[in-house]
Amino acid sequence: MRHVIALDVGGTGMKAALVGPSGELLHQARRATGRERGPDAVVEGILDFAAELRAYGAEHLGEPASAAGVAVPGIVDAERGVAVYAANLGWRDVPLRALLTERLGTPVALGHDVRTGGLAEGRIGAGQGADRFFFVPLGTGIAGAIGIGGRVEAGAHGFAGEIGHIVVRPGGTPCPCGQAGCLERYASAAAVSDAWAAATGDPEAGAADCAKAVESGDARARDVWQNAVDALADGLVTALTLLDPSTLIIGGGLAEAGETLFTPLRDAIRQRITFQKLPSVVPAALGDTAGCLGAGLLAWDLLTTTDGMEVAT
């Protein structure tokens, strides 16, 4: 069966699949990224994993993969196929597309993990059917993917969608990016965890614990949670003012709180808009498989281009 390799590289683990023409998952696998062994070992591990997936397809599906799509974190130059920088993996300027193409002997598409996940959510997940959407996963940090006409906009320099570094509290908490008061310092899962740990005096308390405490009526938890929701709404209203999406897709760890997040968030956005149109605010549908599924879409897109070059991510 004709298929492609889809590989989603994370800070601690890699998710992979062989994906058929209609998006069906023909084989799935996971393994550790191995970042404790250093960046060179991480790259070699990616190459070995991809080669094993190719061999599996040849043996079990009757032919090797026709192409591969790979999603990686950090700064990505998708046009040149270079993984420019990833703090959690320790690499700089890795020509990952060229290395994989040489190892696999097939075309390879390289994409940014959040934009690739957004591509999947937009085409086959919560944004399916929406011509304009904005995908925002709330994890350790906050990023975003701008969906337009079935594709995700990377921007002139690959930085489009970085909503986590919109300043929502001028002069506030310093951010590693060099600014102060960035959205992700107030509304990411990590920020909520830090605020709840400080409120309770328990360093092990996390965002999920805060959400449960909100549901049980804890006043301290409500304050922590509302502060995060207010900051998030401020950032999102700025984004929807600029982008005018029809659908706003929220994913990541905080979205797992369900209506504990979405009910106050929709209210906060509604209170802030004036002339803007209120988009549908919906939870992401694909969970932690979004990046892998998006990588598969990149690979299939690569095969449908007429000049053999990868599509924009």
Side-chain angles (χ1 to χ4, degrees):
M1 177 179 288
R2 196 166 188 232
H3 62 278
V4 298
I5 293 169
L7 185 58
D8 180 19
V9 179
T12 58
M14 296 185 282
K15 297 180 283 289
L18 299 181
V19 184
S22 300
E24 61 271 36
L25 298 176
L26 306 173
H27 171 67
Q28 296 182 73
R30 298 191 181 212
R31 70 171 46 175
T33 303
R35 63 179 179 176
E36 70 281 355
R37 295 182 289 119
D40 291 340
V42 170
V43 173
E44 193 59 37
I46 293 169
L47 299 177
D48 288 345
F49 196 16
E52 290 174 20
L53 292 163
R54 183 183 188 279
Y56 183 96
E59 179 179 354
H60 295 276
L61 301 176
E63 60 179 291
S66 300
V70 184
V72 297
I75 301 171
V76 180
D77 186 334
E79 185 175 344
R80 294 193 302 125
V82 176
V84 178
Y85 174 70
N88 56 358
L89 295 177
W91 65 30
R92 288 182 180 272
D93 298 319
V94 179
L96 200 53
R97 183 175 65 194
L99 293 171
L100 282 163
T101 299
E102 181 180 0
R103 179 68 69 93
L104 299 175
T106 59
V108 176
L110 183 69
H112 180 273
D113 56 354
V114 172
R115 289 195 291 271
T116 302
L119 180 68
E121 285 288 352
R123 287 197 195 171
I124 60 177
Q128 191 170 6
D131 186 56
R132 298 286 191 278
F133 69 88
F134 191 43
F135 169 58
V136 182
L138 308 173
T140 302
I142 299 178
I146 304 166
I148 304 173
R151 295 189 178 186
V152 172
E153 172 60 40
H157 307 96
F159 298 151
E162 290 290 347
I163 187 176
H165 297 291
I166 287 177
V167 174
V168 294
R169 300 291 181 266
T173 304
C175 180
C177 79
Q179 302 183 115
C182 288
L183 175 61
E184 71 174 38
R185 304 303 292 166
Y186 296 90
S188 63
V192 173
S193 293
D194 289 346
W196 183 233
T200 61
D202 178 3
E204 301 300 318
D209 301 314
C210 184
K212 291 177 182 176
V214 170
E215 293 161 9
S216 68
D218 187 294
R220 294 174 304 170
R222 285 200 302 268
D223 287 343
V224 167
W225 197 257
Q226 193 61 49
N227 285 339
V229 167
D230 286 342
L232 182 57
D234 288 341
L236 291 174
V237 169
T238 297
L240 68 88
T241 303
L242 292 170
L243 303 174
D244 188 27
S246 60
T247 305
L248 187 56
I249 306 168
I250 308 297
L254 282 192
E256 294 176 6
E259 288 305 312
T260 301
L261 174 67
F262 284 92
T263 296
L265 179 60
R266 291 187 186 106
D267 289 343
I269 293 173
R270 190 177 296 110
Q271 291 167 13
R272 284 163 171 77
I273 61 172
T274 54
F275 66 89
Q276 306 94 333
K277 295 296 184 181
L278 183 67
S280 298
V281 182
V282 300
L286 302 177
D288 71 352
T289 65
C292 192
L293 291 169
L297 292 173
L298 285 183
W300 282 114
D301 283 352
L302 194 58
L303 294 174
T304 61
T305 56
T306 57
D307 60 1
M309 298 297 289
E310 71 174 6
V311 296
T313 57

